[in-house]
Amino acid sequence: MEANNGEASGSSSKGQSRIQDGHNVLFRLPSGELKSMKITGNATISFGKYGSFNSSELVGQPYGLTYEVVDKKLKALPPKAMDELEETEATNELIDDGLIVQPLSTAEIEALKSSGVPASEIIKQQIESHTNFALKTEYSKEKYKKRKEAKYAKKFSTIEPTVFNVCEYWFNKDKGRIHDIRSDTLAQMMNLANIRPGGKYLAVDDASGLIASSILARMDGHGRLLTICDVDSPPAYPILVHMNFDEDMINSTLASLNWATAEEDYVPSTISSLSSVVPPTEPQDGIIRSERQKQRLNKRKNIQGTLAATREELFAGEFDSLIIASDYEPYSILERLAPYLSGSGSIVIHSPSIEVLSDVQAKLRADPQYLGPSITEGWLRRYQVLPGRTHPLMMVTGSGGYILHAIKVFDDPSANSVLAVKQKNKKPKVDNDEDAKMEGSSEPPAGETKAE
Amino acid sequence: MWSNEREIAAGDLVIVWLTREDIQPLIVTPGKELNLRFGHYRHSDLIGIPYGSKVGSRNGRGFVHLLRPTPELWTMSLPHRTQILYLADISFIVSYLNIKSGSQVVEAGTGSGSFSHSVARTIGQDGHLHSYEFHEARANKARDEFDRHGMANIVSVTHRNVCKDGFTVVDKVDSVFLDLPAPWSAVQHAKKALRKDRTTRICCFSPCMEQVLRTVSALNDAGFSDITMYETLLRPHEVNTTPRLPTAGEASARLKGAMARREEKRLLQVAASQRKRAAQKRKRETNGEDGDDQDVDEQAKGESTEAAKKLRVDNDKPEGEDSEETNVRLVPTEGGSPPAVITQPALSSSQPQIPSQIVISKVSHEVRGHTSYLTFATLEPALGTQSNAEALVATIAEPEPPQPPTDQ
């Protein structure tokens, strides 16, 4: 455990904390906007008015730093501290809203910018010529400076591609692509599904691969994820590219089937040909003609082998959890996949609308192979915490969708009466039950106690 | 950490699920008995049956489900030594701090171990949770518990007042979680524990806003950036299957019926009072004096109520039974409010079938409104550590060819 800093943890973690050639990097611009760019060799990265630079300058840098672009070169900046504001007597009572307060014209500002004057200097000049700046409250002055900085500063930050950050990026950019899954909701799904290194999971990810990315990131190469998709080629999970996972890690952890190949009584033509006595993949005359043909046949054989093995893996069952964020009706998915869950396995279904889930819950409650189905909705509120200016953000997201959670159990219709199991080996009654419970279990349970 | 086997074995920790509100941990110990309100069970009878099984009691008093422990079930069933963290906060913190397989994490204090179990599960054998607790008895109890749960190699508990004495790790961990009464006094120590070669993160968990403000200021002074704060909660939704809602048309039909019956009743009353008047008239004519009007009125009133009762339709067909027409049942209610209508829709083969039952959901009446504020901050990698990278970049730097931005 007491390993050195550099190699303290798992295989791909180290690679993920520093920018490498070929990485997809998220950038935060002074305007607050996020941009995704791929680092490729010596390409120029341009952020328009925020400057441009050679992408190779970022290679080897740790994620999470802020840079200033000076003469097309990057200068890493120290972390920016928040400024304490002195309360003053100023109020806005003397500020006339209609007055033109900035004698510096747009043309003059443009001239300053093109002459290479740093942003801080332009802002300083603007403040000096601002007729009413002194009348403003300190809060208002601060806001003014921040607004100007967002306009002129040639700065940007790199953002570490954590699942949280990638989810936030997509949720703000196009939440429809990720099934309306918000970061808090995704986090709850991962915990409810008991995602851990070494686990074995089944997922239906119609959220552009956000679920798969999150599970793979948590397992970091240890464990297995089998996804079921609705295309007849390996699923395109576009979110995966943001995670910059190691290709080998993905290949050893992730496998996929589609709704047809995931059916036990469906025999894909490729597999039937593989298992038949005379494999038609080989030419009828038994002679392999060219090297290319040989390669093609081998490749085909490999694909067939992988498909057959993945199917066997699914049908063998004993998956720890089933995670669903799908555009298909969830109960129809459950009917197909729940049999492959282990006893006590977790079922986690996400939907942007509650109606879809409440219908499923009504069905699960009537079915003794599902225990404790419950629907929850995440609620999240972010605060600005600047000194003296702490308040919730003015604009928040409405909903990150709903989660249905249930536990797969084995029913025993006779269990209502007497214990049928092991009735034969009756043993004499030994000591009392109090020690049988764990210490403290007489305390009230964590949840609110309600009458049954 | 806990059993991965299919079947329950002696010595396993299992979660006994009685009801949603009554979930208990149990260590399977042959020779012992478990006595619950849902019957008696012998531990030895539980050995060898698969996790997730429903098990009936020996005395036929009910059944329980035996579940494989997860940190989430453990949180719902654990013995409380302190106020504990729940799913919404735990999962959000784990996600924000980017805790995953192999992560090195500091936690203070250990408390009841609700957060510790979740983190231990997530980081696995390759990670480590350095947990600190200043209450000695609680630290010992937690250590024993982690040991029993097979987590001793993942979690180490140190009895220590971290606000005064700091942590025992330096430049090592990926994230720090502080659940302390005065987290601001441990912020500088936390900074020492965090590794400096990459972005690391801290979360401070405080129920009160005053604590948040002091913590924010301490984080700022210590050089943390991206300071922000969140509140997160779970809103449970209750789902119920109920008869479909009656339509306004059905209300109208009922009212029309009621009004028709009232008219009928009025006519009956009119007829009755006419009969009375005729009778009184005859009486007066025979007696030659005024009769007792009051009594007659009362009598008429009584008659009309009787009539109204007879008109009440009371159809007691069992629910869900198919019927060819809509049955409207008027249930008289107290206090003059309109009668509740229970309807069964008309089913006919020619019409599309209207479901008689609908599924509705609403937010539970009483929900948790606040747990704690989650203050997060980032410690950026130290600028000194990139000298190698800069040197590397300098050697490969070439005149840049003009290229369009590779925006995607």
Side-chain angles (χ1 to χ4, degrees):
Chain A
M1 262 323 114
E2 305 296 311
N4 291 328
N5 288 343
E7 56 214 15
S9 46
S11 49
S12 60
S13 306
K14 188 173 182 276
Q16 276 175 13
S17 72
R18 281 182 189 266
I19 299 169
Q20 290 166 23
D21 197 7
H23 270 194
N24 284 275
V25 179
L26 288 175
F27 295 95
R28 181 177 285 115
L29 304 181
S31 59
E33 189 194 351
L34 296 190
K35 260 190 168 352
S36 171
M37 300 265 194
K38 190 171 175 136
I39 305 291
T40 38
N42 273 329
T44 296
I45 290 182
S46 170
F47 294 129
K49 63 177 176 179
Y50 301 122
S52 60
F53 57 94
N54 190 304
S55 68
S56 63
E57 282 204 63
L58 283 174
V59 174
Q61 295 273 306
Y63 275 100
L65 289 176
T66 301
Y67 303 88
E68 190 168 17
V69 188
V70 185
D71 296 329
K72 304 208 166 186
K73 290 278 167 225
L74 296 186
K75 187 182 153 217
L77 298 175
K80 194 173 179 291
M82 303 183 298
D83 302 318
E84 290 281 351
L85 294 184
E86 286 286 319
E87 264 310 332
T88 60
E89 295 293 303
T91 66
N92 59 11
E93 66 171 324
L94 297 173
I95 294 176
D96 186 343
D97 294 335
L99 221 62
I100 295 164
V101 292
Q102 185 51 268
L104 221 53
S105 73
T106 318
E108 284 170 308
I109 294 169
E110 281 306 317
L112 280 173
K113 272 162 75 178
S114 51
S115 71
V117 174
S120 52
E121 182 58 31
I122 303 178
I123 298 168
K124 203 176 145 214
Q125 288 197 24
Q126 275 193 299
I127 289 172
E128 279 165 2
S129 56
H130 191 297
T131 49
N132 274 350
F133 194 77
L135 291 178
K136 286 175 181 282
T137 64
E138 290 305 310
Y139 301 112
S140 162
K141 282 179 189 168
E142 182 73 14
K143 268 188 182 169
Y144 180 87
K145 282 188 218 163
K146 223 177 160 183
R147 211 164 54 232
K148 296 298 169 194
E149 188 159 284
K151 254 172 127 174
Y152 310 128
K154 287 186 186 302
K155 286 201 299 194
F156 68 89
S157 314
T158 56
I159 297 171
E160 192 179 355
T162 65
V163 171
F164 186 93
N165 289 338
V166 169
C167 184
E168 288 276 288
Y169 168 70
W170 274 101
F171 192 80
N172 293 324
K173 185 184 155 97
D174 187 358
K175 69 191 177 95
R177 293 271 302 273
I178 54 166
H179 218 245
D180 289 14
I181 301 173
R182 198 173 52 200
S183 51
D184 58 323
T185 312
L186 179 63
Q188 289 158 17
M189 292 173 72
M190 291 301 111
N191 274 31
L192 284 171
N194 196 21
I195 306 297
R196 59 187 173 83
K200 197 174 138 187
Y201 306 100
L202 203 50
V204 183
D205 184 344
D206 294 335
S208 299
L210 180 67
I211 303 290
S213 300
S214 189
I215 294 172
L216 291 179
R218 288 228 176 173
M219 298 199 297
D220 199 23
H222 310 282
R224 188 65 164 161
L225 171 62
L226 182 52
T227 63
I228 314 291
C229 62
D230 64 352
V231 287
D232 62 359
S233 51
Y237 289 138
I239 305 279
L240 272 180
V241 303
H242 292 285
M243 304 307 300
N244 300 313
F245 287 139
D246 183 49
E247 201 58 39
D248 293 339
M249 185 274 258
I250 297 180
N251 292 337
S252 68
T253 320
L254 175 68
S256 297
L257 291 173
N258 63 39
W259 288 116
T261 53
E263 269 177 20
E264 288 190 36
D265 45 12
Y266 170 77
V267 185
S269 50
T270 49
I271 286 198
S272 65
S273 64
L274 186 77
S275 54
S276 61
V277 189
V278 183
T281 52
E282 280 170 33
Q284 294 306 313
D285 51 7
I287 302 157
I288 295 165
R289 287 193 183 86
S290 71
E291 203 52 33
R292 266 186 78 178
Q293 195 180 6
K294 216 182 198 168
Q295 278 177 1
R296 212 164 46 232
L297 286 175
N298 279 339
K299 197 181 165 196
R300 200 167 136 81
K301 239 178 181 168
N302 276 340
I303 291 171
Q304 289 164 353
T306 308
L307 176 61
T310 310
R311 274 164 57 92
E312 263 168 44
E313 195 181 336
L314 172 68
F315 304 151
E318 294 296 316
F319 283 84
D320 292 328
S321 314
L322 168 61
I323 304 99
I324 301 171
S326 177
D327 300 328
Y328 296 95
E329 202 282 307
Y331 191 74
S332 70
I333 295 176
L334 264 188
E335 280 179 308
R336 282 163 178 257
L337 300 182
Y340 305 125
L341 275 176
S342 67
S344 204
S346 254
I347 295 160
V348 180
I349 311 175
H350 178 273
S351 175
S353 53
I354 193 164
E355 290 79 4
V356 173
L357 295 186
S358 48
D359 281 351
V360 176
Q361 202 211 4
K363 285 179 185 145
L364 297 196
R365 212 158 44 179
D367 191 334
Q369 64 166 322
Y370 301 105
L371 181 67
S374 66
I375 296 180
T376 51
E377 182 190 8
W379 180 90
L380 184 68
R381 176 136 99 166
R382 188 178 178 177
Y383 286 70
Q384 166 185 302
V385 285
L386 294 172
R389 287 155 290 170
T390 298
H391 62 73
L393 296 194
M394 303 295 180
M395 286 303 293
V396 294
T397 52
S399 176
Y402 302 84
I403 297 174
L404 170 60
H405 175 248
I407 299 170
K408 156 90 180 284
V409 290
F410 301 116
D411 186 32
D412 177 4
S414 69
N416 297 318
S417 48
V418 282
L419 183 65
V421 192
K422 301 199 169 178
Q423 198 66 293
K424 47 187 184 288
N425 42 351
K426 279 196 171 133
K427 283 172 191 165
K429 198 175 172 180
V430 206
D431 69 38
N432 70 26
D433 59 302
E434 276 314 305
D435 298 327
K437 296 186 194 174
M438 299 207 39
E439 77 279 20
S441 64
S442 55
E443 289 209 23
E448 295 90 337
T449 30
K450 266 187 217 162
E452 249 202 288
Chain B
M1 183 175 177
W2 293 324
S3 170
N4 284 324
E5 299 302 315
R6 193 172 170 273
E7 283 94 19
I8 294 168
D12 280 5
L13 174 79
V14 299
I15 302 292
V16 182
W17 175 295
L18 286 89
T19 69
R20 211 181 277 266
E21 286 80 30
D22 193 351
I23 300 166
Q24 301 178 7
L26 175 83
I27 289 180
V28 177
T29 317
K32 286 191 177 176
E33 287 221 0
L34 176 65
N35 294 327
L36 302 165
R37 63 192 161 113
F38 292 158
H40 305 310
Y41 306 83
R42 268 197 207 123
H43 287 214
S44 52
D45 289 342
L46 310 180
I47 295 166
I49 63 174
Y51 276 103
S53 290
K54 177 174 165 184
V55 175
S57 60
R58 297 174 61 222
N59 56 348
R61 290 272 298 279
F63 61 89
V64 295
H65 282 96
L66 300 175
L67 304 180
R68 186 188 302 281
T70 63
E72 288 63 43
L73 286 170
W74 177 250
T75 292
M76 291 163 82
S77 62
L78 60 83
H80 281 213
R81 294 182 285 267
T82 54
Q83 177 66 41
I84 65 163
L85 272 80
Y86 292 99
L87 173 69
D89 288 317
I90 294 173
S91 60
F92 193 73
I93 295 163
V94 165
S95 176
Y96 196 101
L97 297 182
N98 197 30
I99 294 173
K100 55 186 183 176
S101 172
S103 293
Q104 297 267 331
V105 184
V106 153
E107 166 197 50
T110 314
S112 299
S114 174
F115 185 72
S116 325
H117 278 82
S118 192
V119 170
R121 177 265 317 271
T122 306
I123 63 179
Q125 301 292 335
D126 292 345
H128 201 82
L129 173 63
H130 310 264
S131 190
Y132 299 84
E133 171 63 52
F134 81 122
H135 189 290
E136 188 165 16
R138 277 185 211 148
N140 292 336
K141 271 196 170 172
R143 200 179 294 113
D144 289 349
E145 189 178 278
F146 297 151
D147 207 12
R148 273 203 308 276
H149 294 180
M151 293 155 54
N153 54 343
I154 304 175
V155 189
S156 53
V157 182
T158 307
H159 168 229
R160 196 176 175 95
N161 182 345
V162 295
C163 296
K164 261 172 51 198
D165 306 325
F167 300 96
T168 54
V169 284
V170 178
D171 267 358
K172 187 166 179 66
V173 301
D174 301 300
S175 47
V176 169
F177 173 65
L178 300 180
D179 178 7
L180 301 167
W184 53 87
S185 52
V187 161
Q188 282 291 355
H189 299 304
K191 188 182 178 181
K192 284 201 192 87
L194 287 164
R195 58 196 295 176
K196 309 298 185 299
D197 62 333
R198 62 164 74 164
T199 300
T200 56
R201 296 171 186 85
I202 186 170
C203 174
C204 303
F205 184 84
S206 303
C208 302
M209 188 58 89
E210 289 78 6
Q211 293 169 299
V212 172
L213 299 182
R214 291 188 69 171
T215 305
V216 166
S217 148
L219 287 167
N220 191 36
D221 293 347
F224 285 86
S225 57
D226 270 337
I227 304 172
T228 187
M229 193 258 277
Y230 285 92
E231 258 186 295
T232 184
L233 295 166
L234 273 190
R235 282 155 57 90
H237 287 253
E238 284 167 10
V239 176
N240 282 299
T241 305
T242 65
R244 76 168 172 85
L245 303 183
T247 64
E250 284 160 1
S252 159
R254 173 177 57 76
L255 288 168
K256 282 175 192 161
M259 286 186 287
R261 284 190 298 276
R262 195 186 301 144
E263 179 62 13
E264 206 175 319
K265 193 171 90 182
R266 194 183 66 84
L267 292 176
L268 281 173
Q269 278 175 326
V270 168
S273 71
Q274 272 170 356
R275 277 199 305 278
K276 286 286 157 270
R277 217 168 290 143
Q280 280 170 353
K281 203 175 173 187
R282 276 197 301 279
K283 210 175 173 186
R284 264 202 303 276
E285 276 163 4
T286 43
N287 293 355
E289 59 177 36
D290 272 1
D292 197 351
D293 278 345
Q294 199 69 28
D295 274 358
V296 179
D297 279 353
E298 287 296 324
Q299 201 183 337
K301 222 180 199 169
E303 268 179 42
S304 61
T305 344
E306 281 301 310
K309 269 184 192 162
K310 270 177 203 154
L311 279 166
R312 194 175 294 143
V313 184
D314 203 353
N315 196 328
D316 269 340
K317 277 196 179 174
E319 271 189 53
E321 185 180 305
D322 287 353
S323 89
E324 280 301 313
E325 57 200 359
T326 301
N327 295 315
V328 178
R329 182 162 49 145
L330 293 181
V331 183
T333 52
E334 308 277 51
S337 60
V341 184
I342 296 166
T343 53
Q344 289 177 315
L347 294 178
S348 78
S349 47
S350 60
Q351 275 184 315
Q353 192 176 321
I354 307 161
S356 59
Q357 303 271 300
I358 56 166
V359 177
I360 55 165
S361 65
K362 58 180 180 184
V363 179
S364 305
H365 174 61
E366 205 173 27
V367 296
R368 212 182 294 278
H370 178 64
T371 51
S372 269
Y373 296 114
L374 311 177
T375 308
F376 292 100
T378 301
L379 188 62
E380 290 180 14
L383 290 180
T385 59
Q386 4 157 35
S387 49
N388 287 348
E390 271 169 2
L392 184 74
V393 169
T395 54
I396 57 168
E398 284 164 28
E400 49 193 299
Q403 266 181 28
T406 51
D407 196 354
Q408 44 180 29

